[in-house]
Amino acid sequence: MSVRRARPFRRAILLAVAALAATITIAAQQPGKHPVSGRVYAQTMGVQGASWLDRPERDREEDPDLAIRLLRIQKGATVADIGAGSGNITMRLAKQVGPMGKVYANDIQPGMLEILQKNVGKAKLTNVVPVLGAIDDPKLPAESIDLAIMVDVYHEFSEPQKMLQRLREAIKPGGRLVLLEYRAEDPEVPILREHKMTKAQVKLEVENEGFKQTRVFDDLPWQHLFVFTRP
């Protein structure tokens, strides 16, 4: 197979995998639209799709370790991984903040948290606190978080405004809110359209809830990395 033919073939396979993962969703979720941007909310991936979060290709497609390095998270920090899923990012964050730090691993699905706790136990990490949240509330302590991060998660919120409001209450003054979202401006990113966001959409929606955008990194293979602060 020639290189020219191989690339479209690989792209088709990736699109099929992404479509399969996206269709394994929480039952009865009804898609809505953001009242400010008009964006249609993507459906949330269910527990059956957890293996997609740990696919071997993820390091190459997203380079999460580079994302964490760009954020320069300090040892001893308290971090929240919102929509933690199987714990792929949670465990990286736990190693970054060290034993004196803490990672709240938040998810709305008990099944995801069960998988996460098994993975955390295998990794022998003791600084991870699982938190069962709600669709409109991450259930985090007030003004306790140095950095809250959402990796390929925010676009699936069915109550994004309420979630951002509760996150603003949980983040310390001057703390950071970080979003990683697949680049909707780039047609070469082989992810379904409703699971991608533009820079303009993210800035508009997040700043509308009282955060201030301070940095956007374009260093990752497929994603925008947005940094906001709580004033």
Side-chain angles (χ1 to χ4, degrees):
M1 183 181 292
S2 71
V3 173
R4 184 170 295 180
R5 291 182 179 179
R7 287 175 179 171
F9 178 78
R10 178 177 177 274
R11 178 179 173 81
I13 293 297
L14 289 170
L15 281 168
V17 172
L20 175 62
T23 56
I24 304 174
T25 58
I26 294 176
Q29 181 186 352
Q30 297 298 318
K33 288 186 178 181
H34 195 282
V36 176
S37 70
R39 174 181 61 86
V40 176
Y41 306 146
Q43 291 197 330
T44 303
M45 180 173 19
V47 176
Q48 299 91 335
S51 60
W52 194 73
L53 302 174
D54 298 315
R55 64 195 186 280
E57 300 85 4
R58 188 171 186 179
D59 282 353
R60 182 181 70 251
E61 296 167 355
E62 300 187 15
D63 203 347
D65 288 333
L66 173 59
I68 291 174
R69 289 198 301 273
L70 291 170
L71 294 171
R72 298 185 179 183
I73 302 170
Q74 295 183 351
K75 297 292 183 183
T78 298
V79 178
D81 183 9
I82 309 300
S86 63
N88 187 288
I89 304 300
T90 296
M91 292 188 289
R92 298 170 198 258
L93 292 168
K95 293 172 184 177
Q96 175 64 29
V97 301
M100 300 303 292
K102 181 186 294 186
V103 179
Y104 288 103
N106 160 277
D107 207 281
I108 63 172
Q109 301 180 73
M112 283 292 196
L113 290 179
E114 290 177 9
I115 295 171
L116 180 145
Q117 290 181 83
K118 289 179 181 178
N119 291 335
V120 167
K122 289 178 183 178
K124 296 182 171 31
L125 296 167
T126 59
N127 58 346
V128 175
V129 179
V131 178
L132 181 63
I135 62 171
D136 58 356
D137 189 347
K139 306 290 187 179
L140 297 172
E143 296 192 352
S144 63
I145 306 300
D146 295 299
L147 181 145
I149 187 169
M150 293 177 274
V151 181
D152 308 329
V153 167
Y154 173 77
H155 64 271
E156 294 183 351
F157 286 168
S158 59
E159 296 285 351
Q161 292 178 296
K162 292 179 181 178
M163 279 292 287
L164 288 176
Q165 291 162 12
R166 299 291 83 79
L167 281 169
R168 192 179 67 224
E169 295 168 359
I171 295 172
K172 297 175 182 178
R176 293 183 290 171
L177 175 70
V178 175
L179 282 71
L180 283 84
E181 289 288 345
Y182 291 115
R183 299 192 297 268
E185 300 93 337
D186 186 353
E188 295 302 313
V189 174
I191 297 294
L192 294 175
R193 179 65 183 81
E194 60 268 27
H195 289 269
K196 300 161 77 172
M197 292 188 70
T198 67
K199 289 182 178 180
Q201 285 174 329
V202 173
K203 187 176 191 297
L204 175 63
E205 294 184 20
V206 178
E207 289 199 333
N208 191 66
E209 305 308 324
F211 291 92
K212 178 65 177 176
Q213 183 173 291
T214 53
R215 186 79 184 263
V216 180
F217 291 95
D218 292 317
D219 307 69
L220 303 177
W222 287 0
Q223 299 156 302
H224 296 304
L225 192 163
F226 302 91
V227 180
F228 295 85
T229 57
R230 174 191 168 182

